Amino acid sequence: AHYYYDEIAAQVDVPFINLIEVVAEALSRDYPRARRLGLLGSTAIQSIDLYGSGLVGRGIATVFPSPPRQAEVMDLIRAVKANAAGEDARAIVDQAGDDLAAQGVAVVLVACTELSALGESGHRSLPLIDAADLLAAAVVDVARAGAAS
């Protein structure tokens, strides 16, 4: 849905939160020096450049794991969807994070709810933020603002 944000927002009369803006604001607030954001998400997000197109104007480049590591991330996403994530899920996330660290990223974004479903996970050496957590907090903020008015 966030790929179609402009079209959807123009058609509805309720608040529609722009996830890319929420992520950009969190990066500016919490990681103001970050210029390279690692993404753990589906290859579809990579193909449509969902985050890159919204962050490049803020001076932030988006980086995905190398193709072999991205393939492992996709296999993990499929396994989570099938309720079949194995004991190696943590290692796959860590290895993808290592790959991103080697590419010079400053922070990693979990950009796929299937990976969010794995629970609280970080990386050994990089800060990790979760787009689903950021979006949930933004929804609460909008709801509270609406209740106060």
Side-chain angles (χ1 to χ4, degrees), residues 48-75:
I48 64 172
D49 197 27
L50 181 64
Y51 287 90
S53 60
L55 297 175
V56 70
R58 294 176 181 248
I60 300 169
T62 54
V63 180
F64 277 81
S66 64
R69 290 288 180 226
Q70 181 63 26
E72 291 172 356
V73 170
M74 282 302 301
D75 288 344

Side-chain angles (χ1 to χ4, degrees), residues 3-26:
Y3 181 73
Y4 300 102
Y5 175 83
D6 292 334
E7 291 87 355
I8 294 170
Q11 299 297 317
V12 298
D13 294 326
V14 295
F16 187 64
I17 298 167
N18 185 327
L19 176 60
I20 311 312
E21 285 299 314
V22 169
V23 168
E25 290 167 10

Side-chain angles (χ1 to χ4, degrees), residues 80-144:
V80 170
K81 286 182 179 189
N83 197 27
E87 300 271 329
D88 63 342
R90 176 73 207 174
I92 292 168
V93 171
D94 278 341
Q95 290 167 356
D98 291 344
D99 184 280
L100 292 167
Q103 295 183 60
V105 305
V107 61
V108 174
L109 177 72
V110 174
C112 180
T113 54
E114 287 81 11
L115 298 176
S116 299
L118 293 173
E120 183 61 37
S121 63
H123 180 261
R124 294 181 269 245
S125 63
L126 293 172
L128 186 138
I129 56 177
D130 191 316
D133 290 343
L134 294 174
L135 183 58
V139 168
V140 170
D141 289 346
V142 167
R144 285 184 178 155

Side-chain angles (χ1 to χ4, degrees), residues 26-50:
L27 288 170
S28 293
R29 179 187 64 239
D30 300 333
Y31 305 98
R33 294 187 177 150
R35 293 293 163 247
R36 293 176 62 78
L37 174 66
L39 294 173
L40 293 178
S42 74
T43 304
I45 292 170
Q46 184 178 23
S47 296
I48 64 172
D49 197 27
L50 181 64

